[in-house]
Amino acid sequence: MGLPALEFSDCCLDSPHFRETLKSHEAELDKTNKFIKELIKDGKSLISALKNLSSAKRKFADSLNEFKFQCIGDAETDDEMCIARSLQEFATVLRNLEDERIRMIENASEVLITPLEKFRKEQIGAAKEAKKKYDKETEKYCGVLEKHLNLSSKKKESQLQEADSQVDLVRQHFYEVSLEYVFKVQEVQERKMFEFVEPLLAFLQGLFTFYHHGYELAKDFGDFKTQLTISIQNTRNRFEGTRSEVESLMKKMKENPLEHKTISPYTMEGYLYVQEKRHFGTSWVKHYCTYQRDSKQITMVPFDQKSGGKGGEDESVILKSCTRRKTDSIEKRFCFDVEAVDRPGVITMQALSEEDRRLWMEAMDGREPVYNSNKDSQSEGTAQLDSIGFSIIRKCIHAVETRGINEQGLYRIVGVNSRVQKLLSVLMDPKTASEAETDICAEWEIKTITSALKTYLRMLPGPLMMYQFQRSFIKAAKLENQESRVSEIHSLVHRLPEKNRQMLQLLMNHLANVANNHKQNLMTVANLGVVFGPTLLRPQEETVAAIMDIKFQNIVIEILIENHEKIFNTVPDMPLTNAQLHLSRKKSSDSKPPSCSERPLTLFHTMQSAEKQEQRNSIINSSLESVVSSNANSILNSSSSLQPNMNSSDPDLDVLKPTRPNSLECQQDLLGLCHSF
């Protein structure tokens, strides 16, 4: 089990869970730092030992070279001359080996020791400095906040406003430092995957070139070395892409953190000060509180950020009522009272600000709720999986395959944005869309055409491989067995709506052609996965965890390209016979209509009237019957394992189920799902 991703949105909440996750990352960095220190120490000892061994072997070679055989007589036979010369030949071989060893030793420090020391000092050292700054800002922020919250509400309004502004500045600075520290920690964790392993690989390669049996060892190691070299390069490429994505998300979080909050299972969560009665008065104890509106459960965890530990046991109560505390009834600001069903008395809580109190009261349905008037805005793409969309993609593919299939960096090198937008506007014009599919003038550069293709796919209301299947595809890519990966992805592809699957097949066939010409265009299957993974399988929510899954998105695309003929031209699982198909169609007419969540979700599933829905079902059933009829001979001659199966995940068979909404609730669900796309 790997380390959990550190979400930027958690920096704002600064919850105990976030602190524990951060500790696990810090512990991993400390372990790596200690290991690198020991490795450098052992490496220096090894280099010293190799120098001593080389010196001993050179002395041995000199001894062999100095010894001269003396034969009896004034002449030698050919055999004697060969034997006499053998020691000098041995010495020559040993000196040649030691010359190679000396070159290896001279490079060892630069190849192994220097990069490891550089990584430890520059990367891990920078992370440690960032931690010191983060801890210092944490202590400063908590101190200022506590001092601020202890201000009397009876002070002048101008003084209170000035104090509020000062706290906001300190809070913003602490938030920025927290984001930068989280970014640095995760960057170092990702960097070590190649900057740490690569020097070791280079050092081993030096050893292999020295030993007299190095050829055999290098040959045995060759496959793994090639695989590891490719893996390092791929990891480096993915790192560059992931790092830019994470950095972009961090900048977005800095600019407007409220728009990128993580979807939480709780209605409200955050820090509150809870008033607790003591023998000699009262005290205010800091708690991390969560509230779930459905169950009305409030959970309070006593936690001090400065010490990093709990201050007592967790407590959970069931909310009865919530009332805002009047300012003149208590010296503390931002207070509200909570009554619990399962606890006597009133619990007085202090929020961190007036806005924070408003949000807590709104979540708890307080007596003075203020509803949030912000509405999520979602821009709708103009691209669709219609005839125009297919025409655009076919035109782009045809232009690439006829004019630029061998261009280096195909799909990696992007075109000028203004040119790309201009080309898309031309292609999406209904007047020009009806023209021949090969109608893209030679004046358009290949990089502009490839960028237009990728941009159009990103403009779709949802990714081509759909949000609802995104996690399933990622899960399939994480399977250990390659055959299982292919099988699971094969099944998932046939669960996609027909239009999506047709477009995906068109694209994968094209990318396979691109990969077949990788010697000229340098675009291997792995490189194409890096380019198209985030486009075809983009997540619905932009988080660090989702960005870290980009490497698995790339693997899915690689599998689709390498196995496109099997995945798109064969049906997974066991199909049904004609009799079973007919029986299933008959039963479906009497069955209960499935809910909206049970039907395949497509970009075009928007007809609401019963008349239009029945017309649609009639057309699909007629098409299916014609397909069954045209393939009757092949079905009868094939084995039962090749017959169509009603249990198949193919969405073409799902249409046999009645899909007409029969309730207002189902129609609302369907409209909501369509709106989300």
Side-chain angles (χ1 to χ4, degrees), residues 502-553:
Q502 289 177 357
M503 179 70 79
L504 188 61
Q505 180 178 6
L506 181 67
L507 185 61
M508 290 304 114
N509 290 340
H510 168 60
L511 295 183
N513 291 335
V514 173
N516 290 337
N517 292 271
H518 70 274
K519 291 183 179 180
Q520 290 79 30
N521 57 39
L522 305 182
M523 292 303 291
T524 62
V525 173
N527 289 338
L528 292 171
V530 171
V531 173
F532 282 92
T535 297
L536 301 180
L537 265 176
R538 67 180 185 269
Q540 191 164 11
E541 184 183 4
E542 188 179 12
T543 64
V544 174
I547 294 174
M548 293 305 169
D549 277 340
I550 288 177
K551 51 193 172 186
F552 296 107
Q553 297 173 6

Side-chain angles (χ1 to χ4, degrees), residues 21 70 350 367 417 652 655 663:
T21 304
Q70 294 296 329
Q350 182 185 25
R367 294 186 181 179
N417 186 55
D652 285 342
V655 300
S663 68

Side-chain angles (χ1 to χ4, degrees), residues 156-184:
K156 293 181 179 180
E157 184 64 27
S158 61
Q159 292 177 328
L160 294 177
Q161 290 179 356
E162 182 179 356
D164 290 346
S165 299
Q166 183 180 2
V167 169
D168 288 339
L169 290 175
V170 174
R171 181 188 294 113
Q172 179 64 26
H173 184 62
F174 167 69
Y175 182 51
E176 292 180 359
V177 170
S178 176
L179 287 172
E180 292 171 356
Y181 177 48
V182 167
F183 174 75
K184 187 61 182 177

Side-chain angles (χ1 to χ4, degrees), residues 47-67:
I47 292 172
S48 177
L50 289 173
K51 287 181 179 180
N52 293 335
L53 178 60
S54 179
S55 177
K57 284 192 173 185
R58 279 186 171 275
K59 186 177 180 181
F60 179 69
D62 291 341
S63 299
L64 290 175
N65 192 51
E66 291 173 359
F67 185 79

Side-chain angles (χ1 to χ4, degrees), residues 481-647:
N481 184 273
Q482 179 69 8
E483 185 178 347
S484 300
R485 294 180 190 173
V486 176
S487 177
E488 184 64 21
I489 290 175
H490 187 187
S491 176
L492 289 170
V493 166
H494 283 263
R495 291 172 62 188
L496 293 173
E498 182 66 24
K499 294 286 187 181
N500 296 59
R501 190 167 66 253
Q502 289 177 357
M503 179 70 79
L504 188 61
Q505 180 178 6
L506 181 67
L507 185 61
M508 290 304 114
N509 290 340
H510 168 60
L511 295 183
N513 291 335
V514 173
N516 290 337
N517 292 271
H518 70 274
K519 291 183 179 180
Q520 290 79 30
N521 57 39
L522 305 182
M523 292 303 291
T524 62
V525 173
N527 289 338
L528 292 171
V530 171
V531 173
F532 282 92
T535 297
L536 301 180
L537 265 176
R538 67 180 185 269
Q540 191 164 11
E541 184 183 4
E542 188 179 12
T543 64
V544 174
I547 294 174
M548 293 305 169
D549 277 340
I550 288 177
K551 51 193 172 186
F552 296 107
Q553 297 173 6
N554 302 344
I555 291 173
V556 173
I557 304 305
E558 292 174 21
I559 291 174
L560 288 175
I561 296 173
E562 292 175 340
N563 302 273
H564 67 283
E565 292 185 358
K566 173 185 176 182
I567 290 176
F568 293 101
N569 296 332
T570 63
V571 179
D573 299 329
M574 292 178 59
L576 287 178
T577 63
N578 279 340
Q580 291 173 320
L581 194 63
H582 178 74
L583 181 60
S584 177
R585 186 183 292 115
K586 181 178 179 182
K587 288 184 177 180
S588 66
S589 63
D590 299 326
S591 62
K592 180 182 178 180
S595 65
C596 294
S597 61
E598 294 173 334
R599 292 195 298 274
L601 183 60
T602 70
L603 299 175
F604 307 99
H605 198 183
T606 57
M607 292 192 296
Q608 298 298 312
S609 68
E611 179 180 355
K612 289 184 178 180
Q613 191 64 41
E614 290 175 359
Q615 181 181 2
R616 175 179 177 274
N617 289 342
S618 175
I619 294 172
I620 294 175
N621 288 334
S622 299
S623 300
L624 186 59
E625 289 173 359
S626 64
V627 170
V628 171
S629 176
S630 64
N631 292 280
N633 292 331
S634 59
I635 293 174
L636 291 174
N637 295 329
S638 61
S639 63
S640 60
S641 62
L642 298 177
Q643 309 268 337
N645 188 348
M646 275 307 288
N647 294 325

